[in-house]
Amino acid sequence: HTTPELTMNSGHTIPQLGLGVFRVPQDDAQRVVADALEIGYRHIDNAAVYQNEEGVGRALAESGIPREELFITTKLWNTDQGTDGPRPALEESLRKLGLDYVDLYLIHWPAPQRNLYVESWRALEQLHGEGLARSIGVSNFEPEHLDRLAEHSSVIPAVNQVELHPALQQRELRGLQEPRGILTEAWGPLGQGKYSLEDMPGLADIAAKHSKTLAQVVLRWHLQEGVIVFPKTTRRERLVENFDVFSFELDADDMATMKAMDQGMRVGTHPNEGN
Ligand code: NAD
């Protein structure tokens, strides 16, 4: 099968399921990404600060998969924000990845105390215009940060990548983004393993009903919610498990049970604190 794709406001499409490589050591990254590509993944979520772009790039090059079939995201780190930082930062990421463009380039954190995200966004608009990033977006942006970009720039972010999992469903933010044409990407889609999915009321019953694992039900829920996900694992059997979410469908009752798991519970850094 092929992964379902969503169309971004840039006109480009994005595979709804991918692989995230946060905390994958440089030495493992090549093998993990090679395994993922073999299994059928085509979307990799990376970031300069993960310090594994070279390993990812080697796997991409050795796969022989045509560039247009891959979807590669990387992110601008906070210390490279500003008017002049993004260009060399993206050029270095491209060199490490062995690519001449990324599919999606994100501002990793608003880092409001630096107060440079508007200038950074203008620089990304420029890089987008030159074709170095097919689409551009943001990560960890709160409504106030999105509003400020809208006031001071012309390109609407294609995506906002935020913490999102059963215990933190981000309904309010998603409600603001949808009419603006900003797609939502989930980071920590499985809660980063920081709480037990077994403790989510009703989740085990849904999994039993469909003969799927808890992780598969959660990933399927993201997909049916219209959210983009890229769960992270370095284990091949879990790469297979996380990609095997297209042969079943959650019904309205299942979706309602999932919705009731929202507790507004963050497991990661607050957007205003990532600096
Ligand atoms: P995640 O929710 O994907 O959790 C990863 C953990 O879940 C793994 O360490 C593994 O132990 C476990 N896991 C994976 N598959 C499993 C399975 N099938 N069954 C049981 N456990 C399983 O968390 P994450 O890695 O933080 O998020 C995914 C991706 O999101 C990252 O790799 C990265 O690309 C991105 N991310 C972005 C930001 C940001 O600020 N933009 C922050 C964190 C993560």
Side-chain angles (χ1 to χ4, degrees):
H1 80 94
T2 44
T3 310
E5 306 211 321
L6 298 179
T7 301
M8 297 179 283
N9 62 26
S10 60
H12 295 284
T13 58
I14 179 167
Q16 222 188 327
L17 176 66
L19 171 72
V21 293
F22 179 39
R23 294 209 174 101
V24 177
Q26 179 85 270
D27 289 347
D28 293 344
Q30 184 176 353
R31 194 267 309 159
V32 174
V33 173
D35 279 355
L37 295 172
E38 203 183 293
I39 290 161
Y41 290 79
R42 292 294 179 269
H43 171 180
I44 309 294
D45 184 78
N46 207 335
V49 79
Y50 301 165
Q51 296 185 30
N52 55 17
E53 289 172 313
E54 281 159 310
V56 169
R58 280 195 293 274
L60 300 177
E62 286 185 12
S63 73
I65 295 170
R67 176 67 185 91
E68 62 273 17
E69 291 178 22
L70 299 167
F71 190 98
I72 310 302
T73 298
T74 197
K75 310 186 191 89
L76 174 75
W77 187 240
N78 304 341
T79 47
D80 291 318
Q81 280 208 28
T83 300
D84 298 327
R87 179 178 299 274
L90 178 55
E91 283 170 352
E92 191 182 343
S93 285
L94 288 172
R95 183 183 59 72
K96 289 179 171 170
L97 287 162
L99 301 176
D100 25 77
Y101 67 91
V102 287
D103 294 280
L104 184 58
Y105 197 46
L106 306 182
I107 299 180
H108 205 144
W109 292 91
Q113 55 285 55
R114 292 177 189 268
N115 197 23
L116 289 171
Y117 63 87
V118 173
E119 287 87 338
S120 303
W121 184 251
R122 292 219 186 91
L124 261 64
E125 288 181 318
Q126 180 77 28
L127 297 166
H128 170 57
E130 293 171 28
L132 296 179
R134 291 268 161 106
S135 303
I136 52 176
V138 296
S139 180
N140 300 301
F141 271 45
E142 294 275 281
E144 77 226 49
H145 309 133
L146 294 173
D147 287 344
R148 229 182 116 205
L149 283 196
E151 277 164 39
H152 296 283
S153 65
S154 52
V155 178
I156 297 166
V159 306
N160 187 13
Q161 180 180 128
V162 296
E163 182 184 337
L164 202 175
H165 42 79
L168 180 72
Q169 301 190 9
Q170 303 274 21
R171 300 266 169 206
E172 203 179 318
L173 180 64
R174 287 156 67 193
L176 291 170
Q177 291 179 174
E178 204 182 319
R180 301 185 192 190
I182 302 172
L183 296 181
T184 301
E185 295 192 325
W187 66 253
L190 301 170
Q192 294 188 318
K194 289 183 181 161
Y195 60 88
S196 171
L197 294 178
E198 278 161 39
D199 294 339
M200 293 289 105
L203 183 56
D205 293 333
I206 300 174
K209 176 169 132 189
H210 296 280
S211 303
K212 290 286 167 183
T213 66
L214 303 180
Q216 286 172 322
V217 170
V218 171
L219 295 173
R220 180 74 211 177
W221 166 75
H222 281 289
L223 298 177
Q224 288 184 213
E225 286 275 356
V227 168
I228 299 154
V229 267
F230 23 79
K232 174 246 162 181
T233 179
T234 56
R235 288 161 54 174
R236 191 179 165 103
E237 66 274 17
R238 280 184 171 170
L239 287 170
V240 171
E241 177 184 332
N242 294 347
F243 204 66
D244 179 20
V245 290
F246 301 108
S247 59
F248 73 111
E249 199 168 342
L250 302 177
D251 61 29
D253 286 345
D254 300 334
M255 293 300 281
T257 302
M258 296 295 303
K259 190 172 184 179
M261 294 173 195
D262 194 0
Q263 306 158 30
M265 186 180 87
R266 244 175 237 290
V267 300
T269 307
H270 187 279
N272 282 328
E273 279 153 20
N275 55 25

